[in-house]
Amino acid sequence: MTLEPTDSPDPLPGLHTYEIQARLHESMPEYRFVATGAVQGEDEWMYGFVMGLNVYNENGESILSADFSEILEGKVIGYHVYNGMMDTMGLHVTDVNFDGYKDVIILNSFGGAHSNTWYDCWLWNTETSSFAASKSFAEICNPALDAGKECIYSAGGSGAGYWGGSIYKFIDGEYVVTNKLDTDWYGLVERKLINGKMEIVREVSYGEDKQILEREQEYYKNSELWQLDHPHWYWLGGHHADQWLGGE
């Protein structure tokens, strides 16, 4: 399915493109990254559609072409994304597996009651000099990169009683949960990846005792590992999260 987008500086109703020029590594030439989409209205909480992504090398040759469009009830649609992010469509060229080479991500979902975000991802393979899709990255809700600790923080995606999160690391070519804090109205369970299995390392029940709940929330805010009051644990998608995705 082919669309003929036209460049537009603002996400006005109609077809829209957003382009980045970036190097995957200082030793490599500059590539062009072009996202295409369709904006349906001017209200920031209306849905637009992310339709595709193309990457061109220094010779103008396509080295990655992804089409997200489909026909539903006679209408061409793509990935549903609130208009508030349709200006860039969440396109970032950034090192998400911490190997020193930049990769590319683009929004595949931003909407719903909780306004969570998920991204499609293609990792640069230095051996084949090509991009490869990462299905495991696409499962990370509201990702925030920490290059210093080589991990990704993930918050959101759960019910109103949830205030925990997950920490991912890139292990053997996949993004794996290494630490997970599950919470609800009645208690919490903290798990850690030990010898390839998630093991319970801490469990607390607080029921309706608000003092215990507040004590536990304070504990995880001050935890060196979790630091749950750090803003990289973002619960709503939007441009405020761009700072945690790095790159271009």
Side-chain angles (χ1 to χ4, degrees):
M1 195 174 301
T2 302
L3 293 172
E4 296 295 337
T6 56
D7 290 322
S8 56
D10 300 305
L12 300 174
L15 298 179
H16 176 63
T17 63
Y18 176 72
E19 179 176 328
I20 291 174
Q21 296 186 21
R23 300 176 188 271
L24 301 181
H25 189 270
E26 60 182 9
S27 65
M28 296 178 63
E30 197 169 68
Y31 291 169
R32 291 176 56 230
F33 301 79
V34 183
T36 57
V39 179
Q40 298 191 92
E42 297 186 20
D43 189 307
E44 66 174 327
W45 296 113
M46 287 185 66
Y47 279 115
F49 299 118
V50 179
M51 294 295 197
L53 171 66
N54 286 277
V55 181
Y56 303 94
N57 66 15
E58 72 276 22
N59 299 316
E61 300 167 336
S62 176
I63 58 173
L64 172 63
S65 180
D67 182 0
F68 315 132
S69 62
E70 60 177 312
I71 297 177
L72 180 65
E73 297 180 351
K75 181 180 179 181
V76 180
I77 65 171
Y79 288 154
H80 287 69
V81 170
Y82 282 141
N83 278 347
M85 285 291 288
M86 282 300 296
D87 53 348
T88 66
M89 291 169 273
L91 176 62
H92 292 274
V93 182
T94 183
D95 184 3
V96 299
N97 60 352
F98 315 111
D99 66 349
Y101 288 81
K102 292 184 178 181
D103 313 291
V104 58
I105 63 174
I106 192 170
L107 277 169
N108 69 39
S109 179
F110 174 39
H114 297 287
S115 298
N116 291 307
T117 54
W118 285 267
Y119 292 78
D120 276 1
C121 170
W122 291 264
L123 303 174
W124 181 252
N125 187 318
T126 57
E127 295 183 359
T128 62
S129 294
S130 62
F131 285 104
S134 172
K135 293 182 179 180
S136 56
F137 186 94
E139 297 174 355
I140 303 175
C141 179
N142 297 336
L145 310 180
D146 188 331
K149 296 181 179 179
E150 296 190 354
C151 68
I152 298 176
Y153 304 102
S154 170
S158 295
Y162 179 75
W163 49 269
S166 299
I167 300 175
Y168 290 77
K169 289 203 170 184
F170 192 69
I171 301 173
D172 296 330
E174 299 288 336
Y175 291 92
V176 177
V177 177
T178 58
N179 302 85
K180 188 174 183 64
L181 179 61
D182 286 315
T183 67
D184 58 26
W185 295 114
Y186 306 104
L188 65 86
V189 178
E190 180 183 354
R191 294 178 173 86
K192 180 179 179 180
L193 186 66
I194 301 174
N195 296 324
K197 293 183 178 180
M198 294 298 288
E199 304 283 355
I200 295 176
V201 295
R202 194 165 183 270
E203 189 169 7
V204 178
S205 296
Y206 37 76
E208 298 181 0
D209 191 325
K210 290 186 178 180
Q211 287 187 333
I212 298 178
L213 170 60
E214 291 173 357
R215 183 194 70 196
E216 291 304 313
Q217 290 177 329
E218 192 67 20
Y219 172 86
Y220 284 100
K221 287 179 182 178
N222 295 323
S223 164
E224 183 177 353
L225 172 66
W226 291 99
Q227 300 179 41
L228 284 187
D229 60 346
H230 195 289
H232 59 218
W233 298 101
Y234 61 94
W235 294 84
L236 299 173
H239 281 305
H240 59 273
D242 289 344
Q243 62 184 307
W244 308 116
L245 295 172
E248 305 296 331

